[in-house]
Amino acid sequence: MLNRAPLRVLIAAPRGFCAGVDRAIQIVELALERFGAPVYVRHEIVHNRFVVERLRDLGAVFVDELDEVPDDRPVVFSAHGVPKSVPAAAQSRALTYVDATCPLVSKVHRQAQRLIEEGRHILFIGHAGHPEVIGTFGQVPHGAMTLIETIDHVADLSVPDEANLAFLTQTTLSVDDTAAIVDALKARFPSIRAPRSEDICYATSNRQAAVKAIAPECDRMLVIGAPNSSNSLRLAEVAERIGVPARLIERASDIDWDWLGEPRTIGLTAGASAPEVLVREVLDALSERFDVTEEIADHTPERMTFKLPRELVA
């Protein structure tokens, strides 16, 4: 196409894979090397269809529940974490299993257990039905934790003992929304116990901050991520709140060109479970229609790495 309109693309950094996602994918790959195919994976290892399909091609079989796993095959638990009942069921069947739960999610699980041992009731800020929330609730006795989804829930709360409360949060929430809910909790329950350190993970915070840094210069924002990816959805919300129209897309083929129009500058980012190859795919698609100038907008370098399970690297 001749006479392509100029387009400046501000590429957020950091973006894409976080250390927990990288580790989870490596765990499935190493399990396939160690045990051979098929290796079963309970739920999507991470929320990204491209990643899941690639692992499926390598021999991973994704299932909803443990009873779909044959007795003689290994199973991997997803990065979002699982209730205690799941590894217990695997052990009762003598299944070989590898836990790919993100270490930052595991940290929240340990905090929850400690708070229950102290006799506290936990108010958990998160999204109902998200695998991470289900996994965290599954660490504690039924009724020991109450879900808080919005700031409005705080005013309506009825708790067993206001003097023995604590709060924890899902790791992939909106930083701003969560801060507002936490402020409301502290105002209503002044003695509530806060986590020793913030539960929202570094990758979620950094990716939201990177969007905030570039959004004021952008006419549109494209966020690469799955519709069931909490951290990806939050990135689009961050841009919208700044006043920049944003769309969540899974791949370049999802770009709505009529919606995009002919902007001068767009922002491009990717959720923590979206691979860099999809960023390149979107840039290539944009280059077919526009005269693209790419700019990496560095915000915060990330050097976090997590150890792999001993049973796969020994």
Side-chain angles (χ1 to χ4, degrees):
M1 188 187 298
L2 299 174
N3 301 320
R4 292 173 301 171
L7 177 65
R8 177 181 177 226
V9 182
L10 280 177
I11 307 166
R15 66 186 173 278
F17 280 178
C18 62
V21 165
D22 210 26
R23 174 180 179 269
I25 293 167
Q26 281 188 67
I27 285 172
V28 177
E29 292 169 344
L30 288 168
L32 284 162
E33 285 178 24
R34 172 66 60 91
F35 304 113
V39 165
Y40 285 75
V41 184
R42 185 185 178 277
H43 294 176
E44 289 185 342
I45 186 68
V46 296
H47 283 155
N48 187 272
R49 189 164 54 184
F50 181 89
V51 170
V52 167
E53 287 173 358
R54 187 182 73 80
L55 292 172
R56 188 178 280 127
D57 289 343
L58 293 175
V61 178
F62 293 88
V63 297
D64 290 327
E65 297 303 338
L66 216 55
D67 57 16
E68 299 172 65
V69 180
D71 290 335
D72 61 345
R73 297 309 304 161
V75 60
V76 176
F77 302 148
S78 83
H80 309 102
V82 294
K84 278 182 174 179
S85 58
V86 174
Q91 287 169 0
S92 72
R93 288 179 53 195
L95 285 177
T96 297
Y97 68 88
V98 185
D99 189 354
T101 300
C102 172
L104 298 179
V105 174
S106 297
K107 182 191 81 169
V108 177
H109 289 182
R110 290 192 297 272
Q111 288 182 92
Q113 289 163 8
R114 279 197 298 269
L115 290 167
I116 296 304
E117 287 165 7
E118 292 175 11
R120 293 183 183 271
H121 184 83
I122 300 169
L123 303 179
F124 190 81
I125 304 168
H127 298 296
H130 190 278
E132 184 184 329
V133 174
I134 293 167
T136 304
F137 268 69
Q139 306 303 309
V140 301
H142 182 71
M145 197 182 288
T146 300
L147 184 65
I148 309 292
E149 290 197 85
T150 67
I151 199 165
D152 293 335
H153 286 176
V154 177
D156 301 332
L157 269 177
S158 174
V159 296
D161 180 2
E162 291 192 9
N164 280 302
L165 289 177
F167 73 86
L168 297 171
T169 83
Q170 186 178 327
T171 64
T172 54
L173 298 177
S174 158
V175 172
D176 295 337
D177 283 353
T178 305
I181 294 172
V182 167
D183 287 346
L185 284 173
K186 288 178 176 177
R188 182 162 176 208
F189 307 112
S191 62
I192 195 167
R193 168 83 70 84
R196 288 177 188 157
S197 59
E198 189 177 43
D199 289 336
I200 294 177
C201 82
Y202 77 95
T204 296
S205 300
N206 287 350
R207 278 151 191 71
Q208 289 178 27
V211 166
K212 287 178 182 177
I214 65 172
E217 297 184 57
C218 299
D219 305 311
R220 293 279 191 274
M221 180 76 67
L222 290 173
V223 178
I224 303 168
N228 59 340
S229 165
S230 177
N231 78 85
S232 301
L233 289 165
R234 304 293 82 77
L235 294 176
E237 285 177 4
V238 166
E240 290 274 359
R241 287 180 179 181
I242 293 171
V244 180
R247 284 285 174 92
L248 183 69
I249 58 173
E250 291 194 78
R251 304 198 62 161
S253 56
D254 296 329
I255 298 172
D256 181 340
W257 298 104
D258 290 336
W259 169 83
L260 191 67
E262 289 204 356
R264 293 185 178 183
T265 301
I266 69 167
L268 178 61
T269 189
S273 45
E276 186 66 15
V277 65
L278 297 183
V279 175
R280 191 71 256 163
E281 181 184 275
V282 168
L283 286 166
D284 289 345
L286 291 168
S287 296
E288 289 177 9
R289 293 175 178 249
F290 299 95
D291 181 12
V292 168
T293 303
E294 298 177 18
E295 290 182 31
I296 304 288
D298 272 319
H299 177 70
T300 305
E302 291 181 343
R303 300 183 180 88
M304 181 79 75
T305 57
F306 295 129
K307 289 181 181 177
L308 291 161
R310 242 179 298 172
E311 58 265 39
L312 293 180
V313 293

